[in-house]
Amino acid sequence: MGRKNRNRQRAQQNRDGRAEGKRSRDDAGWGAGYAEIIKENKLFEHYYTELKIVPEGEFEEFMEAMREPLPATIRITGYKRYPDELAWHTNLSRKILRKSPLLEKFHQFLVSETESGNISRQEAVSMIPPLLLKIEPQHKILDMCAAPGSKTAQLIEMVHSDMDVPFPEGFVIANDVDNKRCYLLVHQAKRLNSPCIMVVNHDASSIPRLYFDQDGKKDILFYDRILCDVPCSGDGTMRKNIDVWKKWTTSNSLQLHGLQIRIAVRGVEQLAVGGRMVYSTCSLNPIEDEAVIAALLEKSEGALELADASPDLPGLKYMPGITSWKVMTKEGQWYSDWSEVPTSRHTQIRPTMFPPTDPEKLANMKLERCMRILPHHQNTGGFFVAVLVKKAPMPWNRPDGSSADAPVEAVEGETPAEGNPSVPDTPDLLEVKKDNVCGPPPPKKMKLFGFKEDPFVFLTEDDPIFPSIQAFYDLSPDFPKLNVLTRTHEGKKRQLYMVSKELRNVLLNNSERMKVINTGVKVWSRNTDGEQFGCAFRLAQEGIYTLCPYIRARIINICVEDVKVLLTQENPFLRKLGDDAHNQAKKLGMGSIVLRYLPDPKDLDAPQCPIDLCGWRGKTSIRAFVPRNERLHYLRMVGVEVFHDKQGKRNDCSTEIQEGSTEDAVGLSQEHHSSVPFYDAAAAETGHLEVLVG
């Protein structure tokens, strides 16, 4: 047998082995190694029976729900002009959605719409914290532990609640300690094409304090809203993370408690007076939940207040926070009070893990305002959430060292050591870090240089690339040139991005204080052959809705039939367009264009929201320059259903794919504008859908 044949055979065997392995994992239903996992943990049952977090008589129902697969839920992107019923709950597990032939079309729909940023497949309880933040478009928001990014996406959507404003005053800074997970975060954020998001990579417990210019002076940046969704033991996720069943012990919570407090402390330090912070976990354990909130409230000396969030989600079923709990070791030893803990256990069990002993102090905390979501009450995962409002600076941040009656308008100072919440007058909150038992070892000092990320370089107003862009697209005088950036100091600028004015302010004032992974939305890409047509930069679909308010030329108005032609034919002749669009196109020279559909209120069968597509006007033809999944989305909007079978076979109704001249495609990447096969058919039966959030 020749070498090539042997190599082919080995490659085929490898493919067969991988396919068989995948089938085995899929048959198990949950992933490699999960088939052997028995959904039982006696210590877990004993612990939560003793703590009485589940109403009397419901514990068996609670455990049965924990053993059932988690149903799939989806959320429609909130700022893309959709109705108010934005979150939907199916009666189907993720496995059934993925594997059922009857649901193949629906699954493809979910995948492509998720990739194009129009929906998010997000667990129902995960949607709650952003809703409770009460975000407005002008808010400065910090997401402290953001990866993988489903909640971050919600925050971005809320900042962009008015789609007619391309640059809201507010922004989202999304942080995660794990560099690799930061790129999952970038992927999530990029789907939404926002100029108001920045992804950074820091330890949340020591995230650096940032500065910005305000009225000619440099001020500390305090956030209006902070999402503090901390790392946790995750026992509320047993329905989807099956390995928690065999790994669960109380030691997970004991080890995380200190880290959770440190992160929460750092959060409230950076929260503006009058601001709102949501603390959340996917754990049911009071050591990670009420104990952390009680510690924060006690040390705040009245600066923080637990808000009653129940009116904000009136349909939500939840259990109020508890005010009495005990601490159990992994060996099953119980302690009701810190005084009972032997000295030998002081490195594992801390005073802040217990409820306050003073009845009046405990009552004033109003811990019952915390919310614990139990799986059997509305077929969800388990979750905990609490809303904190900041009434005054934290005691250790008050410049005069005064107590809780300091004036609300006092300006917070810096912590004793920049980026470190450790202070002499809060020993119980922070001893856990010194003991090095509640969480990972103290992080090494953050390096501010030597990261491999490309730089973020803002263009100057007189940059030589601007005149040709300005003239070609007839940009309006109020176009914010100073918000344009690139990712290189040297050589030709290949991509141009835009951020909001406020994020530009943050970047310019903190470039040496933080590690920025990604920011900005791509608005132009260099086209090497474009100069002959008057401009070296073509429009990028990602940034079309950011740019369009400023573009006054190179626009062709199109109708629904034009949309169908442009998105199903790769390079149609100009004459394929309707008469109106054809006449407009003939008046334009070659180069990048905007293809704009405007709704007709009289034609209710047509899409009732505007559509802007990037395109290219060739010598004799025209094409849309739109990523594949976005094409599928717009085709669905105009009534064209798109579907591939599992073998990749497709019915292709585009009979004139290569109709236009090859000269017309000069300089354009094939990746973004391949034709999309389609057929007109009803969607498959998709099972019951139930609205979650109005």
Side-chain angles (χ1 to χ4, degrees):
M1 185 185 294
R3 180 183 299 174
K4 286 186 178 179
N5 287 336
R6 286 197 301 272
N7 288 343
R8 284 197 198 100
Q9 188 178 45
R10 276 197 290 268
Q12 184 60 49
Q13 288 169 345
N14 287 339
R15 283 194 295 272
D16 292 343
R18 287 196 298 269
E20 183 59 39
K22 183 177 186 301
R23 281 194 294 273
S24 298
R25 292 192 298 273
D26 290 337
D27 291 341
W30 296 99
Y34 285 165
E36 300 80 18
I37 293 179
I38 298 171
K39 297 177 185 178
E40 280 190 17
N41 188 307
K42 294 301 181 185
L43 189 65
F44 174 89
E45 293 188 42
H46 171 61
Y47 183 70
Y48 283 115
T49 301
E50 190 73 19
L51 288 182
K52 295 181 172 57
I53 67 162
V54 179
E56 190 174 352
E58 295 183 17
F59 197 80
E60 284 305 314
E61 190 183 354
F62 164 76
M63 290 304 302
E64 283 303 312
M66 292 291 270
R67 294 186 181 101
E68 289 295 317
L70 189 68
T73 48
I74 61 173
R75 181 175 51 77
I76 299 169
T77 299
Y79 66 85
K80 295 197 172 182
R81 304 179 192 271
Y82 288 99
D84 288 334
E85 295 180 340
L86 298 180
W88 295 82
H89 184 124
T90 76
N91 62 347
L92 308 168
S93 71
R94 291 178 299 168
K95 179 189 174 185
I96 292 173
L97 270 179
R98 193 172 64 249
K99 293 300 176 185
S100 171
L102 289 175
L103 298 169
E104 188 176 351
K105 296 176 191 176
F106 183 49
H107 184 250
Q108 285 192 16
F109 162 80
L110 292 178
V111 170
S112 68
E113 293 294 333
T114 298
E115 284 301 309
S116 60
N118 294 298
I119 66 171
S120 293
R121 291 191 279 175
Q122 179 180 359
E123 188 178 346
V125 290
S126 173
M127 304 176 195
I128 294 171
L131 294 172
L132 296 180
L133 279 170
K134 292 186 172 181
I135 286 168
E136 297 175 10
Q138 74 276 12
H139 283 157
K140 304 175 188 71
I141 305 160
L142 173 64
D143 189 351
M144 299 189 74
C145 309
S150 58
K151 297 182 191 70
T152 308
Q154 257 182 292
L155 302 176
I156 297 169
E157 292 167 29
M158 292 170 174
V159 168
H160 285 279
S161 58
D162 185 351
M163 267 292 282
D164 294 325
V165 179
F167 293 103
E169 291 181 22
F171 56 78
V172 178
I173 295 180
N175 174 69
D176 203 85
V177 67
D178 188 315
N179 184 263
K180 291 180 180 178
R181 282 167 61 86
C182 280
Y183 292 96
L184 293 175
L185 194 51
V186 169
H187 176 74
Q188 279 275 17
K190 275 187 172 295
R191 298 180 307 124
L192 300 179
N193 301 325
S194 169
C196 303
I197 171 69
M198 179 190 296
V199 176
V200 299
N201 179 203
H202 292 281
D203 177 350
S205 67
S206 58
I207 190 167
R209 177 152 284 170
L210 304 183
Y211 295 86
F212 71 116
D213 286 330
Q214 184 165 340
D215 301 327
K217 63 174 184 174
K218 188 170 286 192
D219 281 344
I220 297 170
L221 172 60
F222 290 108
Y223 299 95
D224 302 297
R225 299 290 186 267
I226 293 180
L227 176 56
C228 186
D229 186 54
V230 295
C232 66
S233 61
D235 59 16
T237 69
M238 283 178 163
R239 298 184 69 177
K240 65 175 182 179
N241 296 323
I242 312 297
D243 56 345
V244 177
W245 283 95
K246 67 175 183 179
K247 293 180 179 178
W248 187 91
T249 72
T250 56
S251 61
N252 299 333
S253 297
L254 299 179
Q255 290 170 359
L256 286 164
H257 173 82
L259 175 64
Q260 291 161 340
I261 289 182
R262 295 198 301 275
I263 293 173
V265 165
R266 193 57 180 155
V268 294
E269 284 180 330
Q270 301 211 22
L271 186 64
V273 171
R276 197 172 175 97
M277 184 174 95
V278 168
Y279 175 88
S280 61
T281 75
C282 48
S283 167
L284 301 174
N285 198 324
I287 307 303
E288 303 177 65
D289 298 340
E290 286 92 345
V292 174
I293 297 300
L296 276 178
L297 292 170
E298 184 168 2
K299 295 303 175 181
S300 78
E301 296 181 7
L304 299 175
E305 178 181 280
L306 256 180
D308 179 6
S310 57
D312 300 327
L313 290 174
L316 181 67
K317 298 175 184 175
Y318 69 93
M319 296 302 298
I322 60 177
T323 57
S324 175
W325 62 88
K326 299 183 289 184
V327 176
M328 188 180 81
T329 66
K330 66 179 180 179
E331 295 82 17
Q333 176 69 47
W334 288 96
Y335 300 105
S336 299
D337 186 83
W338 169 246
S339 62
E340 300 175 2
V341 181
T343 306
S344 60
R345 293 279 191 183
H346 282 189
T347 56
Q348 296 144 5
I349 298 175
R350 303 302 303 151
T352 52
M353 295 177 182
F354 295 91
T357 54
D358 183 334
E360 184 180 355
K361 183 181 291 186
L362 181 60
N364 289 337
M365 288 181 177
K366 299 178 181 175
L367 291 178
E368 66 277 2
R369 290 182 172 180
C370 299
M371 307 167 87
R372 179 175 280 103
I373 292 95
L374 300 178
H376 64 296
H377 282 169
Q378 51 212 336
N379 198 14
T380 65
F383 206 71
F384 175 88
V385 64
V387 180
L388 293 157
V389 175
K390 190 170 183 179
K391 299 294 188 180
M394 300 301 284
W396 55 89
N397 287 139
R398 294 169 191 161
D400 58 358
S402 61
S403 60
D405 56 359
V408 170
E409 61 269 21
V411 178
E412 288 192 51
E414 186 55 278
T415 50
E418 172 59 29
N420 181 0
S422 304
V423 288
D425 60 345
T426 54
D428 289 344
L429 282 178
L430 303 148
E431 261 184 327
V432 286
K433 188 169 184 178
K434 181 183 70 178
D435 292 337
N436 202 22
V437 293
C438 292
K444 295 179 181 177
K445 188 174 181 180
M446 185 184 70
K447 285 177 61 180
L448 291 173
F449 302 99
F451 296 117
K452 294 183 179 179
E453 295 299 324
D454 293 330
F456 295 85
V457 184
F458 284 96
L459 275 56
T460 58
E461 198 160 4
D462 58 353
D463 192 290
I465 70 169
F466 271 133
S468 63
I469 294 176
Q470 180 90 40
F472 191 73
Y473 297 103
D474 189 20
L475 298 179
S476 60
D478 61 340
F479 175 71
K481 291 181 183 178
L482 295 178
N483 295 5
V484 180
L485 60 85
T486 185
R487 297 297 301 272
T488 179
H489 281 293
E490 300 173 355
K492 283 190 173 182
K493 303 171 180 70
R494 299 188 59 82
Q495 316 284 354
L496 299 181
Y497 304 85
M498 289 193 77
V499 296
S500 66
K501 178 180 67 176
E502 288 73 19
L503 269 190
R504 178 182 186 272
N505 191 337
V506 173
L507 269 170
L508 289 177
N509 284 287
N510 300 280
S511 60
E512 295 184 356
R513 301 171 62 79
M514 60 181 183
K515 180 183 178 183
V516 180
I517 300 296
N518 193 273
T519 192
V521 59
K522 184 165 69 175
V523 289
W524 281 293
S525 292
R526 180 177 288 277
N527 175 17
T528 52
D529 297 301
E531 290 183 26
Q532 61 183 297
F533 309 126
C535 182
F537 287 88
R538 63 167 179 82
L539 297 166
Q541 183 66 28
E542 297 96 310
I544 193 69
Y545 290 102
T546 299
L547 275 184
C548 267
Y550 306 101
I551 294 176
R552 300 184 296 185
R554 309 291 301 172
I555 299 171
I556 298 176
N557 291 306
I558 57 176
C559 66
V560 168
E561 291 306 312
D562 295 330
V563 173
K564 293 178 183 178
V565 169
L566 289 162
L567 296 182
T568 59
Q569 299 184 27
E570 186 174 348
N571 204 24
F573 284 125
L574 295 176
R575 58 179 168 77
K576 288 288 184 179
L577 298 176
D579 291 343
D580 187 29
H582 185 196
N583 290 332
Q584 295 174 63
K586 286 192 295 185
K587 295 175 184 177
L588 294 179
M590 293 176 67
S592 189
I593 55 173
V594 177
L595 298 157
R596 175 167 294 164
Y597 164 81
L598 295 174
D600 179 359
K602 297 177 183 177
D603 184 4
L604 297 180
D605 292 330
Q608 292 300 299
C609 61
I611 298 172
D612 285 327
L613 308 175
C614 286
W616 186 268
R617 200 286 199 202
K619 190 174 182 181
T620 59
S621 65
I622 197 165
R623 70 169 48 177
F625 203 60
V626 180
R628 169 183 165 75
N629 285 310
E630 205 161 337
R631 282 182 174 238
L632 301 183
H633 170 70
Y634 289 127
L635 282 171
R636 291 186 184 105
M637 286 181 66
V638 296
V640 177
E641 185 60 45
V642 185
F643 174 68
H644 284 144
D645 65 25
K646 287 187 176 179
Q647 286 73 41
K649 295 178 182 177
R650 52 203 195 184
N651 296 324
D652 198 332
C653 298
S654 303
T655 57
E656 298 170 284
I657 287 181
Q658 297 297 335
E659 188 175 59
S661 164
T662 55
E663 297 174 12
D664 294 343
V666 64
L668 300 185
S669 162
Q670 293 292 322
E671 178 184 353
H672 291 295
H673 56 263
S674 58
S675 62
V676 175
F678 69 92
Y679 72 96
D680 294 312
E685 180 67 30
T686 58
H688 174 67
L689 279 174
E690 177 184 351
V691 67
L692 283 179
V693 182

